[in-house]
Amino acid sequence: MKRKYSVMAVATAAVVGGAMVAPMAAQAAIPSITIWVDAPRLPGAKLYAQIMKGKVNVKVELHGQADLLAKVQLFNRVKKGWPDVVFGPPNDVAVLKNPLINNALNLDKLLTPAEVKNFGNGNSWCKSSTGTYCVKNDLAQTVLWYDTKLFKEFGYTVPKTMEEFAAIGADIAKNRPGYSLGAVGDQGFYASFLWPSQCPLNQEKSATRVVINTASPKCTRVAKLLQPLVNSGVLDKRSYFDAGYIKDVGQAGKIVANIGPSWWGEFVLRPAGTFAIPAGRIATAPMPIWAGEKVNYSGEWGGGIYTVSPHSKYPRQALDFAIFMVSDKRNLVTVKNPDGSFGAPTFPAYTPGNALWKAKVSKDTYYASNPFPAMLAQSTKIFPGEKPVRYDSNGAWGAAFAPEILKNGDIQKAVDAYGAYVSNLAQQLGYEVTKS
Amino acid sequence: MAKTKHYRHRNGAMYLMLAPYLLLLFFFGLLPAIMGVLEVPKPSMTNANGGWDAFAIVVQDFRFMPAFKHVLGFMAIFVPLMIIFVIGMALMLDIKPSPWKKWLRMAYIVPASISGAVAVLVWYVILQPTLSPIKPILRFFGITEASQIWQTENLVYILVGMAFFAIAGNWILIQYGSLQSISSEILEAARVDGCSVFQLAIRIKLPLISKYIIYMSVLVFAGGLQIFVEPQLLNSGVYQGIANSWSFDQLSYNLAFTSGDFGGASALSILLLIPSLLGALLVIYRTDMFEGAQGHIKKKEIEVQAI
């Protein structure tokens, strides 16, 4: 008891003394930041907290990707509680920078010229006419993933055009029943086919106008080319993450090829918990090109972002965390993940970090050939028309597209259902929806 | 003088005993409702100028009618199924004393312990044709692929299943309890008069516990109307988005937390309060649920007068 009082007395004296001897107090003020990350980013974030001990007090919290949007509205009400820096899904930036929500700091003044240069075009998703409101953790550009063993066995060559891709599908349906070119019952269909085909779905033109037009030829050609593949089951109606698809197709080694994001290999094909494809089989190729196009565009599935809160007292320290995640070898290559793998599974959006990741993936004997060159080639070809929007454009794939495709297996109908759903959402949130 | 003091004393004790309830009612019932009403006219992303038309906006929301249909369909199956099944089971449980009964009662409780997130997982596995322990049954119905199960229109049945097994057991025991409150003299008299077991159940027991049945109906109705956890969890599982804004509560949640429209969310919540409130008023004024003790006293007084 006595001791407690004496401690309190000393503390009181220190506070009073500190107030009188102001310069002394400065050394006591270690910046503290709170960061929110999802599970794949947690090992890196924890490591960062350890590294920064004594310099910055870092509090790491594990949150689902959707948590910030749900909670920020409550923080805004009580005017406290905002985390300093948050990893989130890419579309969030449009909501967070909305003045009504106001939880994405304009980073233009904070980013050094070197950092801006290192992000390069990889960060164009985060930029708008008024500033840069996030930094990208990774690029999730789609590439063609294929199984070299099956390709050899079946005598296929890597498709360069979408027609060739569909031809392989037709051959599988006829001669190799049970084999697959992927699944279509989730957001992957958007990233793999609609977005690369430039189908206008979430093309924000200004803060008050968005183009959604599922009747555009750029959309209808997708349905036309791929409908036979869905009918024959070569493109599965289920989600990639459906337990049945994982077991019957993925783990059975029956995926001949599929168009998937750059994290597909490290996060889905390889881990024992998902498709568990054995080593030495998987390779990547650039995206097949749509007929009549000059560029073989990619779409993006994911490609998370870091946003810094304008309420943060230490915005630079908060941004430093994001830079660490995309540039430091300790996160990108060496940190140990709970599943036993090492480093980040995703393609860093930051040039120096990307070089480290390249070195790691390129020498990885898991792949039949170096998967990096195709990813690099596609990283600058993400079709820039699709934009972050204030409504939940990703959630709508599950809400409108997937139920329709599961039910009738009709691609165009499902795309139309998505278009109608997001048009409604967009209008509700103050957008004018136009066809072009 | 002494009499009023006595009464005042008695009232004081009454209010003291009521105080915890009143506090909870105020902080978790009235205060949120008042805050909700005050929230409605505030400007939001969907109601830029603010005002009471938040009610009109939310009713015209493109997700409102689907949610209405879903919840209506759900209630149309769930509420009658609950009532008939629960009462039936409780009556059967009440037929004869047997040493099995306590095990039976426990068996009813077991499914009820699997609720919320766990129930969603359990049902996902049961209905997933590749993992299911009831594969032959699924196959018998021609279900070999998950895509046949996880469709928005099937959710009504799946959610009825989840909700039913999660709460039916508890209600069976509660209604069994209410059957225990029937005086054995009445039952004895009925038996002496030649009542069969079936007649005893339908003619004697049912009318005597009718107020508990109405009470249960109202609670089941209100609970069903506010279904949230199960569809919300399904919606964030493998088939992400399958139950997006499926129920009213989910729509309200989405309005508040994905569209930042607290006004619309409040408006919808207030609309939801109305049927539940009507149900509660029905129980209070149209049944003798809450006048048990007084009722008895009155009857006794009458009997005494008659003598």
Side-chain angles (χ1 to χ4, degrees):
Chain A
M1 203 64 180
K2 205 170 184 182
R3 215 189 123 176
K4 200 170 159 192
Y5 279 123
S6 59
V7 168
M8 274 172 68
V10 172
T12 315
V15 170
V16 175
M20 287 191 288
V21 198
M24 289 278 287
Q27 93 189 90
I30 294 180
S32 32
I33 58 168
T34 301
I35 59 189
W36 283 15
V37 288
D38 64 349
R41 259 53 62 171
L42 189 63
K46 278 184 170 165
L47 182 69
Y48 184 72
Q50 258 175 28
I51 293 169
M52 296 310 284
K53 237 174 219 163
K55 285 174 260 172
V56 177
N57 289 327
V58 180
K59 193 173 161 212
V60 178
E61 289 183 22
L62 175 65
H63 282 270
Q65 289 194 2
D67 270 17
L68 181 64
L69 284 198
K71 301 238 165 87
V72 71
Q73 328 239 15
L74 297 174
F75 298 147
N76 283 349
R77 309 231 120 195
V78 297
K79 309 232 180 309
K80 63 177 180 192
W82 302 281
D84 297 273
V85 53
V86 177
F87 175 88
N91 191 55
D92 279 12
V93 64
V95 185
L96 292 172
K97 78 174 186 204
N98 181 331
L100 276 172
I101 306 283
N102 183 31
N103 201 43
L105 184 66
N106 184 347
L107 302 171
D108 277 346
K109 287 201 183 109
L110 226 49
L111 286 162
T112 65
E115 285 163 350
V116 171
K117 189 171 150 259
N118 284 334
F119 277 111
N121 283 334
N123 215 34
S124 54
W125 179 266
C126 290
K127 284 181 199 158
S128 71
S129 56
T130 51
T132 308
Y133 291 91
C134 59
V135 292
K136 285 278 271 183
N137 173 69
D138 60 292
L139 295 179
Q141 75 279 25
T142 51
V143 294
L144 180 80
W145 294 88
Y146 67 101
D147 188 322
T148 52
K149 184 170 164 265
L150 293 178
F151 259 54
K152 208 173 157 192
E153 213 176 302
F154 299 166
Y156 296 148
T157 51
V158 175
K160 295 230 167 8
T161 67
M162 282 310 294
E163 284 69 27
E164 289 172 21
F165 179 84
I168 290 180
D171 185 77
I172 291 174
K174 207 171 136 199
N175 302 317
R176 316 280 172 189
Y179 285 86
S180 176
L181 284 182
V184 295
D186 53 37
Q187 197 193 327
F189 189 74
Y190 172 52
S192 305
F193 301 111
L194 294 166
W195 188 341
S197 172
Q198 308 164 47
C199 169
L201 289 173
N202 301 300
Q203 300 193 346
E204 190 193 66
K205 299 290 179 186
S206 73
T208 53
R209 188 167 77 89
V210 64
V211 175
I212 301 169
N213 182 12
T214 58
S216 153
K218 307 259 185 197
C219 304
T220 52
R221 67 176 173 185
V222 177
K224 217 168 139 192
L225 185 73
L226 300 178
Q227 189 61 53
L229 275 64
V230 171
N231 294 347
S232 63
V234 170
L235 283 175
D236 203 290
K237 286 193 287 185
R238 291 172 284 187
S239 157
Y240 276 114
F241 298 106
D242 174 90
Y245 187 79
I246 292 177
K247 196 166 166 239
D248 305 340
V249 188
Q251 294 187 345
K254 288 190 168 173
I255 303 177
V256 181
N258 80 289
I259 294 175
S262 51
W263 44 264
W264 201 245
E266 294 292 292
F267 206 70
V268 178
L269 295 175
R270 182 180 196 162
T274 42
F275 294 175
I277 310 289
R281 286 172 64 159
I282 298 297
T284 63
M287 283 291 284
I289 193 166
W290 284 92
E293 299 293 338
K294 291 198 178 71
V295 183
N296 57 336
Y297 282 118
S298 277
E300 243 192 329
W301 189 356
I305 56 166
Y306 294 99
T307 49
V308 174
S309 171
H311 307 288
S312 173
K313 279 190 199 134
Y314 303 102
R316 181 61 234 191
Q317 280 80 358
L319 182 60
D320 282 343
F321 164 69
I323 302 291
F324 168 84
M325 293 298 276
V326 296
S327 68
D328 200 294
K329 193 171 183 178
R330 287 168 289 189
N331 173 53
L332 296 170
V333 181
T334 52
V335 71
K336 188 164 194 248
N337 298 314
D339 66 356
S341 64
F342 292 92
T346 51
F347 183 96
Y350 195 73
T351 317
N354 193 271
L356 294 167
W357 197 78
K358 173 190 173 184
K360 173 196 156 194
V361 172
S362 301
K363 66 171 191 229
D364 194 330
T365 53
Y366 172 76
Y367 298 99
S369 62
N370 183 356
F372 190 82
M375 293 181 194
L376 185 67
Q378 292 304 137
S379 69
T380 53
K381 293 185 191 170
I382 298 167
F383 176 64
E386 294 290 298
K387 296 277 187 214
V389 284
R390 289 198 298 277
Y391 51 86
D392 185 7
S393 56
N394 292 341
W397 289 106
F401 176 84
E404 188 60 41
I405 199 108
L406 267 180
K407 195 169 137 196
N408 298 318
D410 186 322
I411 296 177
Q412 188 59 42
K413 262 194 185 165
V415 176
D416 289 342
Y418 177 86
Y421 193 89
V422 288
S423 295
N424 273 319
L425 279 180
Q427 282 164 356
Q428 226 177 31
L429 293 173
Y431 283 109
E432 181 200 357
V433 177
T434 59
K435 297 273 177 206
S436 61
Chain B
M1 187 70 185
K3 205 175 177 185
T4 38
K5 203 175 172 187
H6 175 70
Y7 269 117
R8 203 177 290 153
H9 187 69
R10 226 169 70 177
N11 283 350
M14 181 184 82
Y15 284 124
L16 194 70
M17 286 165 79
L18 255 178
Y21 169 74
L22 289 177
L23 271 178
L24 290 176
L25 177 71
F26 179 75
F27 282 109
F28 299 103
L30 292 175
L31 194 62
I34 294 166
M35 284 169 73
V37 172
L38 294 179
E39 189 67 46
V40 172
K42 286 188 186 163
S44 69
M45 279 208 271
T46 47
N47 186 14
N49 302 322
W52 294 99
D53 44 353
F55 281 104
I57 294 173
V58 82
V59 172
Q60 284 161 18
D61 189 296
F62 71 104
R63 291 161 293 186
F64 184 88
M65 275 324 282
F68 183 71
K69 262 195 254 168
H70 294 153
V71 172
L72 204 68
F74 172 80
M75 306 275 277
I77 307 171
F78 177 63
V79 176
L81 180 74
M82 270 294 287
I83 293 167
I84 294 168
F85 186 84
V86 164
I87 302 302
M89 291 304 275
L91 285 171
M92 283 198 271
L93 197 60
D94 191 48
I95 289 176
K96 244 185 190 171
S98 132
W100 282 95
K101 235 186 238 175
K102 72 177 173 199
W103 300 109
L104 262 178
R105 268 179 286 168
M106 204 156 88
Y108 292 137
I109 284 286
V110 171
S113 62
I114 303 170
S115 63
V118 185
V120 171
L121 264 180
V122 168
W123 280 87
Y124 177 71
V125 173
I126 290 179
L127 294 174
Q128 178 73 33
T130 9
L131 308 170
S132 177
I134 53 160
K135 257 181 239 174
I137 302 175
L138 290 178
R139 212 164 288 151
F140 178 77
F141 288 105
I143 295 167
T144 52
E145 261 193 38
S147 57
Q148 292 162 286
I149 299 271
W150 300 108
Q151 300 197 357
T152 307
E153 67 243 39
N154 293 348
L155 284 180
V156 167
Y157 309 105
I158 296 170
L159 291 168
V160 164
M162 284 185 195
F164 177 76
F165 283 103
I167 67 168
N170 287 339
W171 276 112
I172 291 172
L173 294 193
I174 291 171
Q175 295 299 6
Y176 174 71
S178 70
L179 286 169
Q180 301 305 298
S181 71
I182 298 174
S183 122
S184 56
E185 290 163 32
I186 297 178
L187 298 179
E188 203 48 52
R191 275 195 207 103
V192 169
D193 286 345
C195 237
S196 72
V197 175
F198 185 73
Q199 283 171 321
L200 195 67
I202 301 295
R203 297 268 174 95
I204 309 290
K205 289 179 183 172
L206 262 190
L208 282 172
I209 62 162
S210 63
K211 63 184 178 186
Y212 294 101
I213 297 174
I214 295 172
Y215 175 65
M216 173 180 123
S217 313
V218 169
L219 284 191
V220 167
F221 178 85
L225 195 64
Q226 291 166 25
I227 181 168
F228 177 75
V229 177
E230 288 85 359
Q232 186 70 7
L233 285 168
L234 268 183
N235 188 48
S236 50
V238 174
Y239 285 93
Q240 226 163 58
I242 185 176
N244 204 327
S245 302
W246 189 88
S247 74
F248 283 132
D249 274 27
Q250 283 181 287
L251 177 56
S252 175
Y253 178 87
N254 277 346
L255 285 173
F257 296 117
T258 64
S259 305
D261 181 11
F262 283 88
S266 305
L268 182 54
S269 308
I270 291 164
L271 290 178
L272 282 183
L273 187 62
I274 296 169
S276 299
L277 212 58
L278 287 179
L281 291 176
L282 184 86
V283 172
I284 294 168
Y285 292 110
R286 290 280 149 169
T287 73
D288 56 354
M289 181 75 205
F290 295 103
E291 9 187 284
Q294 265 179 4
H296 278 302
I297 291 166
K298 268 183 198 154
K299 266 181 214 152
K300 269 188 191 154
E301 276 169 7
I302 294 165
E303 280 165 28
V304 169
Q305 277 169 4
I307 291 168

